[in-house]
Amino acid sequence: MIDDANLSREGERRKEAILILAKQAGKRRRDRRVATRWGIMMMFCAGGLFATWQIVITETARFVQHAPTPHLPTREPVLPIDNKGQNPAVRQQPEFVKAPDRRIQPARDLQRAPHLQPARPPVVISKIKTDPGLRQKLSIARKAPLWEKIDDQLLIEELRLGQIPAGLAIVAGKSQLIYHDRPLSH
């Protein structure tokens, strides 16, 4: 350590400036470390909250009962029954009042716009007469196969003529072709 008695005024000022700079650098480093720790902690908390939220949503979705879709609407509305105002001995259901039909009636004198009318009347097919041989007439004829089916002896003979050494090995009732890809040398 430098002795304070031996420093000049300029040295003292530089010493104080260096001390201030060191304290500022230390504070910046400490602040950066704390901010990094808080950031990492916040990311883990956000991830945990998101995972918890997803689990809660998926788990509760299994238990939620959805209301069934209603069938075709009825012309008469279904009104709740109020038995409070009636004699308990009678308990008759009140007669329902038919609700007025508030649908808009189609205008009978309106016609379709000319550009929306079909150009030709639609074709209606009432009966189709089928021909029993139609499938044969419309099917594509099969081409003759490009291969020929031969027996084992003819295969061995053809390989011999092509100078490819080959033979058949019969193991457990199954025949297997054994050959060598190098031609015979005479």
Side-chain angles (χ1 to χ4, degrees):
M1 180 130 201
I2 301 174
D3 189 12
D4 289 338
N6 295 337
L7 291 177
S8 64
R9 282 186 215 164
E10 184 66 29
E12 284 290 326
R13 276 194 321 230
R14 279 195 305 209
K15 177 182 144 188
E16 292 297 323
I18 290 171
L19 181 62
I20 291 170
L21 289 174
K23 285 182 179 180
Q24 289 173 350
K27 185 176 182 329
R28 277 195 306 266
R29 244 182 296 157
R30 187 171 40 256
D31 291 346
R32 204 175 306 136
R33 251 192 332 261
V34 168
T36 302
R37 287 179 186 154
W38 273 99
I40 291 171
M41 189 171 66
M42 293 301 287
M43 284 183 359
F44 278 114
C45 287
L49 284 173
F50 181 74
T52 304
W53 180 61
Q54 288 295 320
I55 290 171
V56 167
I57 294 290
T58 55
E59 289 300 315
T60 55
R62 289 196 297 167
F63 299 109
V64 173
Q65 295 292 328
H66 296 287
T69 56
H71 297 291
L72 296 174
T74 59
R75 296 188 124 227
E76 298 177 10
V78 178
L79 300 175
I81 299 173
D82 183 19
N83 290 333
K84 292 178 186 174
Q86 296 179 359
N87 184 352
V90 177
R91 293 277 188 218
Q92 293 178 351
Q93 292 186 1
E95 291 187 25
F96 294 114
V97 178
K98 188 171 184 179
D101 191 9
R102 297 179 189 251
R103 292 179 290 181
I104 299 173
Q105 297 296 328
R108 304 215 187 275
D109 57 341
L110 294 179
Q111 294 181 358
R112 283 188 180 177
H115 66 280
L116 294 178
Q117 290 181 351
R120 291 184 252 172
V123 177
V124 178
I125 300 172
S126 61
K127 190 174 181 182
I128 298 175
K129 186 176 180 182
T130 57
D131 182 13
L134 185 63
R135 192 179 103 206
Q136 287 80 16
K137 290 178 186 176
L138 296 178
S139 65
I140 299 172
R142 292 188 179 181
K143 293 181 181 178
L146 300 176
W147 63 89
E148 182 182 338
K149 196 171 189 179
I150 58 174
D151 63 345
D152 294 341
Q153 293 300 325
L154 189 56
L155 173 65
I156 298 294
E157 183 63 29
E158 289 292 326
L159 289 172
R160 187 185 63 75
L161 290 175
Q163 295 186 353
I164 298 174
L168 283 178
I170 301 173
V171 179
K174 294 185 178 182
S175 58
Q176 184 175 359
L177 179 67
I178 301 173
Y179 67 94
H180 199 285
D181 55 355
R182 282 187 247 148
L184 292 173
S185 58
H186 286 349

